[in-house]
Amino acid sequence: MKLKSLGTALTTAALIGTALTGAVATAGTASAATLPRDCSKAIINVKAKETVNVRTSPKTTATAVGIWGKGKKGSVCNDGKAYKGGSYTACGKKSNLWYYGGDKKTGWVPKTCINW
């Protein structure tokens, strides 16, 4: 039970830090400074190969903020550049590359599940 409380406290501290600085630090991935989220340069009308979770950071343990449905059109930010994050197996492939984008919610999605 103490570990759960510690995780909640750390999450709260990270959210407060994000609100104050506008930056997000993620364990096991590159720093926020190397993960730009520039959606002014987006590739649009991109379809998801499968339904995927849209996450707060590029790792499978990050909080899901929405879903990008199979075949639904969305966009990939940063001119479609992929970024290294946590490893995963999704849509029949293994990778550690992630896109920042989505259809209704924007966040991190596994590169192997986005078709453009």
Side-chain angles (χ1 to χ4, degrees), residues 13-49:
L15 289 173
I16 291 169
T18 299
L20 295 174
T21 65
V24 178
T26 56
T29 61
S31 72
T34 62
L35 296 173
R37 296 173 182 110
D38 182 5
C39 290
S40 68
K41 296 179 180 180
I43 297 172
I44 58 171
N45 295 324
V46 177
K47 291 184 180 179
K49 295 176 187 176

Side-chain angles (χ1 to χ4, degrees), residues 61-104:
T61 57
T63 302
V65 294
I67 61 167
W68 187 343
K70 179 180 179 178
K72 298 290 182 184
K73 290 182 181 178
S75 61
V76 175
C77 301
N78 310 311
D79 283 335
K81 183 175 180 183
Y83 294 88
K84 287 185 181 179
S87 297
Y88 60 85
T89 300
C91 300
K93 296 182 180 178
K94 287 185 176 187
S95 183
N96 68 342
L97 296 176
W98 297 76
Y99 288 133
Y100 190 77
D103 63 341
K104 294 178 184 164

